[in-house]
Amino acid sequence: MTDDAAERQMQFLFTLRSRGVTDQRTLEAMERIDRGDFVRGGLFEDRAYDDVPLTISCGQTISQPTVVGIMTQALNVQPRDKVLEIGTGSGYQAAILSLLARRVYTIDRYRRLVAQAREIFDRLGLTNITAIAGDGSFGLSDQAPFDRIIVTAAAEDPPGPLLAQLRIGGIMVLPVGQSDTVQRLIRVTRLERGYDYDELCPVRFVPLIEGMGKE
Ligand code: SAH
């Protein structure tokens, strides 16, 4: 690593810590996965290490690093876990989760984003991620139940099929609320009977949209 890269890396981790990402395993995973790999060739490549969301292909966004960190630590992934992500986007969040989990399934409604993310996963040797083009609002019933589910697009309420595909004791983290206003990040824990909900922080995500994207 060059001095510049090391300095940038230190600053990146310092910002995450100072904004509430304190879980050691999350920080280590975010240290190992280079956000630059997921915005390469795009318009905002030079802003890869800034704590802001950036536009990627298909009019979508790669989330702000702090939000990725907060969601990852709230998910509390364990090494044997099977994780489902709705909203592959650039693949950055899935890559981080793949270092913490046994297996990650990630779904996006844009085939093009899925194809691009797969290429990056292959290049980085992240072999425990399966990226699928599809409408994630229905989850992935043939692989259910999941230990953890993360949704990186906002719905008004937690989608029923995703609640149903969560294992008892499992955790789901997702933004809820209308797409053009501030949404709330919530954590849902599945109990023996019913679900427990807690609210984490305000966030802003692109909307969860039903059906496949055009590209
Ligand atoms: N996690 C991503 C950021 C996601 S942006 C990252 O790390 O870069 C939100 C993504 O959700 C977009 O790519 C959008 O296409 C996708 N999305 C929206 N509605 C969806 C749906 N119903 N099923 C699957 N993906 C969806």
Side-chain angles (χ1 to χ4, degrees), residues 56-58 60-63 68 85-94 107-110 113 134-138 152-153 205-211:
I56 54 171
S57 330
C58 306
Q60 303 303 313
T61 52
I62 176 172
S63 311
V68 171
E85 180 193 34
I86 310 303
T88 311
S90 67
Y92 179 58
Q93 173 77 74
I107 309 181
D108 205 286
R109 58 192 290 277
Y110 285 104
L113 291 177
D135 180 353
S137 12
F138 300 102
T152 61
F205 276 86
V206 298
L208 188 75
I209 299 173
E210 288 199 6

Side-chain angles (χ1 to χ4, degrees), residues 109-124:
R109 58 192 290 277
Y110 285 104
R111 287 186 186 81
R112 184 160 138 208
L113 291 177
V114 169
Q116 285 168 349
R118 269 191 201 133
E119 260 177 47
I120 305 174
F121 300 150
D122 283 349
R123 191 161 6 99
L124 299 179

Side-chain angles (χ1 to χ4, degrees), residues 135-150:
D135 180 353
S137 12
F138 300 102
L140 191 61
S141 54
D142 55 341
Q143 293 298 337
F146 294 94
D147 302 291
R148 298 291 186 265
I149 301 179
I150 179 169

Side-chain angles (χ1 to χ4, degrees), residues 23 25-26 71-84 93 96-104 128 147-150 171 173:
D23 174 59
R25 286 183 310 142
T26 300
M71 290 179 86
T72 306
Q73 78 185 7
L75 209 57
N76 190 23
V77 179
Q78 301 300 310
R80 302 294 309 155
D81 282 355
K82 182 164 73 171
V83 180
L84 174 65
Q93 173 77 74
I96 290 165
L97 293 170
S98 79
L99 299 185
L100 302 168
R102 177 169 55 89
R103 178 147 281 285
V104 177
N128 63 338
D147 302 291
R148 298 291 186 265
I149 301 179
I150 179 169
I171 299 173
V173 173

